[in-house]
Amino acid sequence: MMLAYAENGRPLPLVAPISQPFFDAAREQKLLLQKCPRDGFFFYPRSHCPHCLKTDWSWQPARASGKVYSFTIERMGQDPSQRARIPFVIAVVDLDEGVRIIGNIVDCAHEDVRVSMAVNVCFEIIDNMPLTCFRSVSAT
Ligand SMILES: [Zn+2]
């Protein structure tokens, strides 16, 4: 995905027509995923079901909960726009629907983050653009 930049220099995703419903819902703190009617496969902004390659999927509300699959702690701030934020956690999360997504873990001390930690999806809004992030279930 290509990037745009917020006024404060933070990188932001570019919205494409296929992903517009995802971002519109995310601005309201709601997670939508695409679901295939044949195989029940969930996925996120793509034109085709990655399982059967058909295009008659529909947007469905997701539970927005999952577990940390892996994570890293950014301590170096190699991207200058991120230096004021370090340290912060970048996590890969397996959602209950089977979709694996990436985002920051917020409102949690970085030393408390663990693989398999239960999290909920939330969205940080910057320049009206929602960025996917996660909160520990134990913190909500
Ligand atoms: Zn399918």
Side-chain angles (χ1 to χ4, degrees):
M1 187 176 284
M2 292 178 62
L3 295 176
Y5 292 90
E7 280 189 27
N8 66 6
R10 293 266 308 265
L12 300 172
L14 285 179
V15 178
I18 196 76
S19 60
Q20 184 76 54
F22 175 89
F23 288 104
D24 288 347
R27 281 190 191 87
E28 299 174 8
Q29 300 293 321
K30 294 174 185 160
L31 177 65
L32 293 184
L33 296 173
Q34 290 160 284
K35 185 179 183 185
C36 177
R38 265 172 312 288
D39 48 45
F41 200 84
F42 281 93
F43 49 102
Y44 62 89
R46 298 174 190 208
S47 59
H48 296 69
C49 170
H51 186 70
C52 68
L53 304 180
K54 304 280 179 152
T55 58
D56 58 340
W57 47 264
S58 62
W59 288 101
Q60 301 288 326
R63 278 177 281 187
S65 54
K67 291 189 172 166
V68 173
Y69 171 77
S70 184
F71 69 95
T72 189
I73 301 170
E74 171 62 275
R75 301 176 194 273
M76 301 292 288
Q78 294 186 12
D79 179 341
S81 71
Q82 305 292 309
R83 285 191 187 135
R85 302 176 60 224
I86 56 174
F88 61 90
V89 180
I90 303 164
V92 179
V93 167
D94 285 335
L95 297 178
D96 293 342
E97 288 86 358
V99 177
R100 184 169 284 171
I101 64 173
I102 191 167
N104 293 151
I105 293 185
V106 297
D107 300 335
C108 180
H110 60 270
E111 62 269 19
D112 292 339
V113 177
R114 299 282 183 272
V115 167
S116 297
M117 184 173 85
V119 293
N120 290 322
V121 174
C122 54
F123 295 94
E124 182 180 2
I125 311 290
I126 298 177
D127 290 2
N128 199 35
M129 176 58 69
L131 303 177
T132 305
C133 54
F134 312 97
R135 275 197 183 93
S136 169
V137 167
S138 63
T140 56

Coordinates of all heavy atoms in Angstrom, one line a residue, residues 10-51:
R10 N 3.6 11.8 10.1 CA 3.3 10.4 10.3 C 2.8 9.8 8.9 O 2.0 10.5 8.2 CB 2.2 10.1 11.3 CG 2.6 10.5 12.7 CD 3.1 9.3 13.5 NE 2.2 8.1 13.5 CZ 1.3 7.9 14.5 NH1 1.1 8.7 15.5 NH2 0.6 6.7 14.4
P11 N 3.3 8.6 8.6 CA 2.8 8.0 7.3 C 1.4 7.6 7.5 O 1.0 7.1 8.5 CB 3.8 6.9 7.1 CG 4.4 6.6 8.4 CD 4.4 7.9 9.2
L12 N 0.6 7.8 6.4 CA -0.8 7.4 6.4 C -1.1 6.5 5.2 O -0.4 6.7 4.1 CB -1.7 8.6 6.3 CG -1.6 9.6 7.5 CD1 -2.4 10.9 7.2 CD2 -2.1 9.0 8.8
P13 N -2.0 5.6 5.3 CA -2.4 4.8 4.1 C -3.2 5.7 3.1 O -3.8 6.6 3.4 CB -3.3 3.7 4.6 CG -3.8 4.3 5.9 CD -2.8 5.2 6.4
L14 N -3.0 5.4 1.8 CA -3.9 6.0 0.8 C -5.1 5.1 0.6 O -5.0 3.9 0.6 CB -3.1 6.0 -0.6 CG -2.0 7.1 -0.7 CD1 -1.4 6.9 -2.1 CD2 -2.6 8.4 -0.5
V15 N -6.2 5.8 0.5 CA -7.5 5.0 0.3 C -7.8 4.8 -1.2 O -7.7 5.7 -1.9 CB -8.7 5.8 1.0 CG1 -10.0 5.1 0.8 CG2 -8.4 6.1 2.4
A16 N -8.1 3.6 -1.5 CA -8.5 3.2 -2.9 C -10.0 2.9 -2.9 O -10.5 2.7 -1.8 CB -7.7 2.0 -3.3
P17 N -10.6 3.0 -4.0 CA -12.1 2.7 -4.0 C -12.4 1.3 -3.3 O -13.4 1.3 -2.6 CB -12.4 2.6 -5.5 CG -11.4 3.5 -6.1 CD -10.1 3.4 -5.3
I18 N -11.6 0.3 -3.5 CA -11.9 -1.0 -2.9 C -11.8 -0.9 -1.4 O -12.5 -1.7 -0.7 CB -10.9 -2.1 -3.5 CG1 -11.4 -3.5 -3.2 CG2 -9.5 -1.9 -2.9 CD1 -12.6 -3.9 -4.1
S19 N -11.0 0.0 -0.8 CA -10.8 0.0 0.6 C -11.6 1.1 1.3 O -11.6 1.3 2.5 CB -9.3 0.2 1.0 OG -8.8 1.3 0.4
Q20 N -12.3 2.0 0.5 CA -13.1 3.1 1.1 C -14.0 2.7 2.2 O -14.1 3.3 3.3 CB -13.8 3.8 0.0 CG -14.6 5.1 0.4 CD -13.6 6.2 0.7 OE1 -12.9 6.6 -0.2 NE2 -13.6 6.8 1.9
P21 N -14.9 1.6 2.0 CA -15.8 1.2 3.1 C -15.0 0.8 4.4 O -15.5 1.1 5.5 CB -16.5 0.0 2.5 CG -16.4 0.2 1.0 CD -15.1 0.8 0.8
F22 N -13.9 0.2 4.2 CA -13.1 -0.2 5.4 C -12.7 1.1 6.2 O -12.9 1.1 7.4 CB -11.8 -0.9 5.0 CG -10.8 -1.2 6.1 CD1 -11.0 -2.4 6.8 CD2 -9.8 -0.4 6.4 CE1 -10.1 -2.7 7.8 CE2 -8.9 -0.6 7.4 CZ -9.1 -1.8 8.1
F23 N -12.2 2.1 5.5 CA -11.8 3.3 6.2 C -12.9 4.1 6.7 O -12.9 4.8 7.8 CB -10.8 4.2 5.3 CG -9.5 3.5 5.1 CD1 -9.2 2.9 3.9 CD2 -8.6 3.6 6.1 CE1 -7.9 2.3 3.8 CE2 -7.3 3.0 6.0 CZ -7.0 2.3 4.8
D24 N -14.0 4.2 6.0 CA -15.2 4.9 6.4 C -15.7 4.3 7.8 O -16.1 5.0 8.7 CB -16.4 4.8 5.4 CG -16.0 5.7 4.2 OD1 -15.1 6.5 4.2 OD2 -16.7 5.5 3.2
A25 N -15.8 3.0 7.9 CA -16.2 2.3 9.1 C -15.2 2.6 10.2 O -15.6 2.8 11.4 CB -16.4 0.8 8.9
A26 N -13.9 2.5 9.9 CA -12.9 2.6 10.9 C -12.9 4.0 11.5 O -12.6 4.2 12.7 CB -11.5 2.4 10.2
R27 N -13.3 5.1 10.8 CA -13.4 6.4 11.4 C -14.4 6.4 12.5 O -14.4 7.2 13.4 CB -13.8 7.4 10.3 CG -12.7 7.9 9.5 CD -13.1 9.1 8.6 NE -12.0 9.3 7.6 CZ -11.9 8.6 6.4 NH1 -12.9 7.8 6.0 NH2 -10.9 8.8 5.6
E28 N -15.4 5.4 12.5 CA -16.4 5.3 13.5 C -16.0 4.2 14.5 O -16.9 3.6 15.2 CB -17.8 5.1 12.9 CG -18.2 6.2 12.0 CD -19.5 5.9 11.2 OE1 -20.1 4.9 11.5 OE2 -19.8 6.7 10.4
Q29 N -14.8 3.8 14.5 CA -14.3 2.7 15.4 C -14.9 1.4 15.1 O -15.1 0.6 16.0 CB -14.4 3.1 16.9 CG -13.7 4.4 17.2 CD -12.1 4.2 17.2 OE1 -11.6 3.2 17.5 NE2 -11.4 5.3 16.7
K30 N -15.3 1.1 13.9 CA -15.9 -0.2 13.5 C -15.0 -0.9 12.5 O -14.5 -0.3 11.6 CB -17.3 0.0 12.9 CG -18.3 0.6 13.9 CD -19.6 0.9 13.2 CE -20.5 1.6 14.2 NZ -21.6 2.4 13.5
L31 N -14.9 -2.2 12.7 CA -14.0 -3.0 11.8 C -14.9 -3.7 10.9 O -15.8 -4.5 11.3 CB -13.2 -3.9 12.6 CG -12.3 -4.9 11.8 CD1 -11.2 -4.1 11.0 CD2 -11.6 -5.9 12.6
L32 N -14.7 -3.5 9.6 CA -15.4 -4.3 8.5 C -14.4 -5.2 7.8 O -13.3 -4.7 7.6 CB -16.0 -3.4 7.5 CG -17.2 -2.5 7.9 CD1 -17.7 -1.7 6.6 CD2 -18.3 -3.3 8.5
L33 N -14.8 -6.4 7.5 CA -14.0 -7.3 6.7 C -14.8 -7.8 5.6 O -16.1 -7.8 5.6 CB -13.6 -8.5 7.6 CG -12.6 -8.2 8.8 CD1 -12.5 -9.5 9.6 CD2 -11.3 -7.7 8.3
Q34 N -14.2 -8.2 4.5 CA -14.9 -8.8 3.4 C -15.1 -10.3 3.7 O -14.2 -10.9 4.3 CB -14.1 -8.6 2.1 CG -14.0 -7.1 1.7 CD -12.9 -6.9 0.7 OE1 -11.7 -6.8 1.2 NE2 -13.2 -6.8 -0.6
K35 N -16.2 -10.8 3.3 CA -16.5 -12.2 3.5 C -17.0 -12.8 2.2 O -17.9 -12.3 1.6 CB -17.5 -12.4 4.6 CG -17.8 -13.9 5.0 CD -18.8 -14.0 6.1 CE -18.9 -15.5 6.4 NZ -20.0 -15.7 7.4
C36 N -16.4 -14.0 1.9 CA -16.9 -14.8 0.7 C -18.1 -15.6 1.1 O -18.1 -16.3 2.1 CB -15.7 -15.7 0.3 SG -16.2 -16.7 -1.1
P37 N -19.2 -15.5 0.2 CA -20.4 -16.3 0.5 C -20.3 -17.8 0.3 O -21.1 -18.5 0.9 CB -21.4 -15.7 -0.5 CG -20.6 -15.3 -1.6 CD -19.3 -14.8 -1.0
R38 N -19.3 -18.2 -0.4 CA -19.2 -19.7 -0.7 C -18.3 -20.4 0.4 O -18.8 -21.4 0.9 CB -18.5 -19.9 -2.1 CG -19.4 -20.1 -3.2 CD -18.7 -20.1 -4.5 NE -17.8 -18.9 -4.5 CZ -18.2 -17.7 -4.7 NH1 -19.5 -17.5 -4.9 NH2 -17.4 -16.7 -4.7
D39 N -17.2 -19.9 0.7 CA -16.3 -20.6 1.6 C -16.2 -20.0 2.9 O -15.5 -20.5 3.8 CB -14.9 -20.7 0.9 CG -14.4 -19.4 0.4 OD1 -14.5 -18.4 1.1 OD2 -13.8 -19.4 -0.7
G40 N -16.9 -18.8 3.2 CA -16.9 -18.2 4.5 C -15.6 -17.5 4.8 O -15.4 -17.1 6.0
F41 N -14.7 -17.4 3.9 CA -13.4 -16.9 4.1 C -13.5 -15.4 4.3 O -14.1 -14.7 3.6 CB -12.5 -17.2 2.9 CG -11.0 -17.1 3.1 CD1 -10.3 -18.2 3.6 CD2 -10.3 -16.0 2.8 CE1 -9.0 -18.1 3.8 CE2 -9.0 -15.9 3.0 CZ -8.3 -17.0 3.5
F42 N -12.9 -14.9 5.4 CA -12.8 -13.4 5.6 C -11.5 -12.9 5.1 O -10.4 -13.6 5.2 CB -12.9 -13.2 7.1 CG -14.3 -13.2 7.7 CD1 -14.7 -14.4 8.3 CD2 -15.1 -12.1 7.7 CE1 -16.0 -14.5 8.8 CE2 -16.4 -12.2 8.3 CZ -16.8 -13.4 8.8
F43 N -11.5 -11.7 4.7 CA -10.3 -11.0 4.2 C -10.5 -9.5 4.3 O -11.6 -9.0 4.6 CB -9.8 -11.5 2.8 CG -10.9 -11.4 1.8 CD1 -11.0 -10.4 0.9 CD2 -11.9 -12.4 1.7 CE1 -12.0 -10.4 -0.1 CE2 -12.9 -12.4 0.8 CZ -12.9 -11.4 -0.2
Y44 N -9.5 -8.7 4.0 CA -9.6 -7.3 4.0 C -9.1 -6.7 2.7 O -8.4 -7.4 2.0 CB -8.9 -6.7 5.3 CG -7.4 -6.9 5.3 CD1 -6.6 -6.0 4.7 CD2 -6.9 -8.0 6.0 CE1 -5.2 -6.2 4.8 CE2 -5.5 -8.2 6.1 CZ -4.7 -7.3 5.5 OH -3.3 -7.5 5.5
P45 N -9.4 -5.4 2.5 CA -9.5 -4.8 1.2 C -8.7 -5.5 0.0 O -7.5 -5.2 -0.2 CB -9.1 -3.3 1.4 CG -9.5 -3.1 2.8 CD -9.3 -4.3 3.6
R46 N -9.5 -6.3 -0.7 CA -9.0 -6.9 -1.9 C -10.1 -7.0 -2.9 O -11.3 -7.1 -2.5 CB -8.5 -8.4 -1.6 CG -7.4 -8.5 -0.6 CD -7.1 -9.9 -0.3 NE -6.2 -9.9 0.8 CZ -5.3 -10.9 1.0 NH1 -5.3 -11.9 0.2 NH2 -4.5 -10.8 2.0
S47 N -9.8 -7.1 -4.1 CA -10.9 -7.2 -5.2 C -11.4 -8.6 -5.3 O -12.6 -8.8 -5.7 CB -10.4 -6.7 -6.5 OG -9.2 -7.5 -6.9
H48 N -10.6 -9.6 -4.9 CA -11.0 -11.0 -5.1 C -10.9 -11.8 -3.8 O -10.0 -11.5 -3.0 CB -10.2 -11.7 -6.1 CG -10.3 -11.2 -7.5 ND1 -9.8 -9.9 -7.9 CD2 -10.8 -11.7 -8.6 CE1 -10.0 -9.7 -9.1 NE2 -10.6 -10.8 -9.6
C49 N -11.7 -12.8 -3.5 CA -11.5 -13.7 -2.4 C -10.2 -14.4 -2.6 O -9.9 -15.0 -3.7 CB -12.6 -14.7 -2.3 SG -12.3 -16.0 -1.1
P50 N -9.2 -14.3 -1.7 CA -7.9 -14.9 -1.9 C -8.0 -16.5 -1.8 O -7.0 -17.1 -2.2 CB -7.1 -14.4 -0.7 CG -8.0 -13.8 0.3 CD -9.3 -13.5 -0.4
H51 N -9.1 -17.0 -1.4 CA -9.3 -18.5 -1.4 C -9.8 -19.0 -2.7 O -9.2 -19.9 -3.3 CB -10.2 -18.8 -0.2 CG -10.4 -20.3 0.0 ND1 -9.3 -21.0 0.5 CD2 -11.4 -21.1 -0.2 CE1 -9.7 -22.3 0.6 NE2 -11.0 -22.4 0.2

